[in-house]
Amino acid sequence: MSVAVIMSSLVASIVAGIPIAVALGLLAIAVMWWAAGPDLLIIFIQRFYTGMTSFSLLAIPFFILAGNLMNTGGMTTRIFNTALVAVGRVRGGLSHVNVVASMLFSGMSGSAVADSAGLGLVEVRAMRDAGYKPGYAAAITAASSTIGPVVPPSIPFVIYGSIANVSVGALFLAGIVPGLLMGFAMMAVIAMTARSKNLPVLTERPTRKESLQVIGGSLPALVMPVFVVGGLVFGWVTPTEAAVLAAFYAAFIGLVVYRELKLSDLPRVLWTSGCQAIQVMFIMAAAAPFSWVLIQQQIPNAVVEAMLNVASEPWAVLLMINVILLVLGMFIEGIAVMVICMPMLLPVATQLGVDPLHFGVIVVLNLMIGLITPPVGLCLYAVAQVAEVDLVSIVKEIWPYLIALFVVLILITYIAPLAMWVPNSLGF
């Protein structure tokens, strides 16, 4: 069966409103039946099961749980207040605070949607109270939330590592510099537009004593990345163990230290986290037989040959891959794009000599940009719901930040040391 038939059938299923996991599974069954009849369907069951039983994938539900525990247990507000003390005194200071808070929170939850829905509630409320336009406040909140899955820990990196057989710890380290560049690029846009937009200036400034109290109160939350990243770097824990540690630590801080997380909150948090994890794992399970079908039909080889026939220069092929991922990210959820495209695009990258570690950062950054591009930008919808702002108002304000992220994407794509320096320096 040809590439065109399989991919057009998948797109038609998604357009028809069929959930992505169901579409992947049904298409895999159809191709298996077409290729060898019902006897081949035993492979579907086997692949479906193995698609969600990888040990590294156990990190996903625990990172999701850690993010939800932090949102409920008081960590989110304290992280925001620390960022406010650090960068809140300049024109448009709360915009900078928004970005810095996301950079800090991203080192804990690993989820852009958790950032936009949890931390975003605090950020948007504070900005509106300070006189910022609701659309602008929601736009910068959505844009800054994309930093979350790039700075470690990262749920998309866990998924990519499982698909590409790449060290998740190395991927976490590779995301540090790109994540910082994303934050600095957005803060540069804020600085350049603060006067033209007449952004507010905070008049109340905390005393040194108050600042120290705020920072001291947030230290239990801020040291979580030390456990997660430090444990991985020194080989003390696996990514899955780091995720479990993060969840237990978030629960301990919320219940015992801050005492804002109540035992009565745990059933709701566990239920929400379980539902979110099931959605991700269902896609992973359905993608496994679909990937097997693609390989059996030699579709990755056909894609490699077609792309190299169009452009043989590595820079041109990488540009094509970026465009493909950006366009797909506008219409399909990021994890689905990853599990669909990696069996086809990863061989292209490796044949060009691109390190799979570097390629993973490129892929994840593309998919994070997709989270804030209409018409299907999950972070746009999450922030619109939290901020009670219509989607059009957000999209009008978010373009400068999209451009900044595109610039960072180009830098990361063509200057490999930006992603590779940290993991290489630490021996990965």
Side-chain angles (χ1 to χ4, degrees):
M1 191 174 291
S2 68
V3 180
V5 172
I6 292 178
M7 299 313 294
S8 60
S9 299
L10 180 61
V11 171
S13 300
I14 295 171
V15 171
I18 298 175
I20 183 67
V22 176
L24 290 171
L26 290 177
L27 190 54
I29 290 173
V31 176
M32 287 178 176
W33 197 299
W34 171 83
D39 293 341
L40 197 59
L41 295 185
I42 187 65
I43 295 178
F44 175 88
I45 298 171
Q46 294 171 346
R47 294 287 171 172
F48 188 91
Y49 174 76
T50 57
M52 57 181 173
T53 54
S54 170
F55 180 74
S56 61
L57 294 180
L58 283 174
I60 294 173
F62 286 103
F63 277 132
I64 292 173
L65 176 60
N68 288 329
L69 287 169
M70 285 185 287
N71 284 336
T72 309
M75 289 187 176
T76 300
T77 303
R78 287 169 174 82
I79 290 169
F80 179 82
N81 289 338
T82 299
L84 184 62
V85 168
V87 294
R89 302 182 181 183
V90 297
R91 179 172 291 279
L94 280 181
S95 302
H96 292 290
V97 169
N98 196 313
V99 175
V100 172
S102 292
M103 293 168 73
L104 294 174
F105 188 75
S106 66
M108 303 172 199
S109 72
S111 169
V113 178
D115 187 342
S116 59
L119 187 59
L121 179 63
V122 179
E123 293 169 336
V124 171
R125 184 188 299 125
M127 293 181 75
R128 294 178 80 163
D129 291 345
Y132 288 79
K133 293 180 180 178
Y136 175 83
I140 186 62
T141 299
S144 66
S145 69
T146 60
I147 302 171
V150 180
V151 175
S154 164
I155 292 172
F157 277 150
V158 173
I159 295 172
Y160 176 85
S162 175
I163 295 171
N165 196 26
V166 176
S167 166
V168 175
L171 286 165
F172 282 2
L173 295 174
I176 292 175
V177 172
L180 293 175
L181 286 176
M182 292 168 70
F184 294 149
M186 285 186 242
M187 293 177 75
V189 172
I190 294 167
M192 289 187 290
T193 59
R195 290 200 175 277
S196 62
K197 287 182 172 291
N198 194 29
L199 297 181
V201 179
L202 292 177
T203 55
E204 295 183 5
R205 299 190 176 187
T207 64
R208 178 175 296 181
K209 181 179 180 180
E210 291 171 337
S211 298
L212 290 175
Q213 288 175 340
V214 169
I215 295 172
S218 66
L219 281 179
L222 295 176
V223 297
M224 181 184 282
V226 177
F227 293 110
V228 175
V229 180
L232 290 169
V233 169
F234 292 107
W236 296 336
V237 293
T238 66
T240 300
E241 292 166 346
V244 174
L245 182 62
F248 274 102
Y249 183 81
F252 175 79
I253 295 300
L255 287 168
V256 179
V257 179
Y258 295 152
R259 298 184 181 180
E260 293 187 22
L261 178 65
K262 309 299 182 185
L263 289 176
S264 59
D265 295 326
L266 291 180
R268 175 179 56 82
V269 172
L270 290 169
W271 175 261
T272 301
S273 302
C275 292
Q276 293 169 346
I278 288 170
Q279 291 172 359
V280 176
M281 298 305 288
F282 187 23
I283 293 174
M284 294 297 297
F290 181 78
S291 298
W292 185 87
V293 163
L294 294 181
I295 294 170
Q296 289 301 114
Q297 296 297 311
Q298 298 185 342
I299 287 176
N301 295 337
V303 172
V304 171
E305 184 178 348
M307 294 187 74
L308 293 180
N309 285 337
V310 173
S312 58
E313 294 294 329
W315 71 267
V317 177
L318 284 174
L319 181 61
M320 289 173 56
I321 290 174
N322 279 332
V323 171
I324 290 170
L325 291 173
L326 287 170
V327 171
L328 288 175
M330 294 173 64
F331 299 95
I332 306 174
E333 196 272 329
I335 292 174
V337 174
M338 189 182 299
V339 297
I340 292 169
C341 293
M342 285 311 96
M344 295 180 286
L345 297 183
L346 186 59
V348 178
T350 52
Q351 188 162 331
L352 294 173
V354 179
D355 191 295
L357 187 61
H358 177 210
F359 189 64
V361 179
I362 295 172
V363 169
V364 171
L365 184 49
N366 271 289
L367 299 181
M368 291 311 99
I369 294 174
L371 288 174
I372 56 171
T373 50
V376 185
L378 290 182
C379 286
L380 291 180
Y381 287 102
V383 172
Q385 183 176 6
V386 167
E388 299 179 347
V389 178
D390 64 278
L391 203 61
V392 175
S393 299
I394 301 176
V395 172
K396 286 180 180 178
E397 297 282 0
I398 208 168
W399 291 110
Y401 305 101
L402 273 173
I403 293 171
L405 292 176
F406 286 141
V407 171
V408 173
L409 174 61
I410 295 300
L411 291 174
I412 297 301
T413 300
Y414 296 112
I415 306 177
L418 290 175
M420 301 296 292
W421 177 71
V422 174
N424 287 346
S425 299
L426 293 173
F428 282 88

